[in-house]
Amino acid sequence: MWIEEQNKLTRTFEFKNFVDAFAFMTKVALTAEKMNHHPDWTNVYNKVSISLYTHDEGDAITEKDRKLANAIDKVYGSSSLFNR
């Protein structure tokens, strides 16, 4: 579930291993590029933490962030892609 904190939408995703986490990040990167809206994220082994906010709007949460969050949820929901 996405959490609103400090003018950001944040969520951490957990996977079985690093390879699955990296595969998720790759799919999210392609999705974000198509939307021309890019996440602030970190990856440590099997966890990917994502923060979404719009720099052009004063580092605030906008509709672009909500749309990207929904798209990321769809990628994550593709359970056949990852061994969680």
Side-chain angles (χ1 to χ4, degrees):
M1 170 155 286
W2 291 92
I3 299 169
E4 286 190 36
E5 58 184 6
Q6 299 176 355
N7 292 327
K8 299 176 183 178
L9 286 176
T10 63
R11 183 169 177 186
T12 297
F13 298 86
E14 189 169 343
F15 301 88
K16 182 178 177 184
N17 54 45
F18 175 76
V19 171
D20 288 347
F22 193 82
F24 170 75
M25 290 180 73
T26 300
K27 291 189 98 24
V28 169
L30 295 171
T31 299
E33 184 63 19
K34 286 180 186 174
M35 296 175 76
N36 194 30
H37 193 55
H38 306 94
D40 180 10
W41 56 9
T42 59
N43 165 240
V44 177
Y45 183 59
N46 68 331
K47 293 182 182 167
V48 177
S49 297
I50 301 176
S51 293
L52 301 175
Y53 54 98
T54 303
H55 301 286
D56 297 346
E57 296 293 329
D59 293 336
I61 299 169
T62 67
E63 188 61 26
K64 290 172 86 172
D65 303 300
R66 295 187 192 288
K67 286 181 180 179
L68 182 53
N70 287 334
I72 291 169
D73 285 343
K74 287 180 183 175
V75 170
Y76 186 70
S78 303
S79 59
S80 64
L81 298 177
F82 310 111
N83 297 315
R84 302 192 281 269

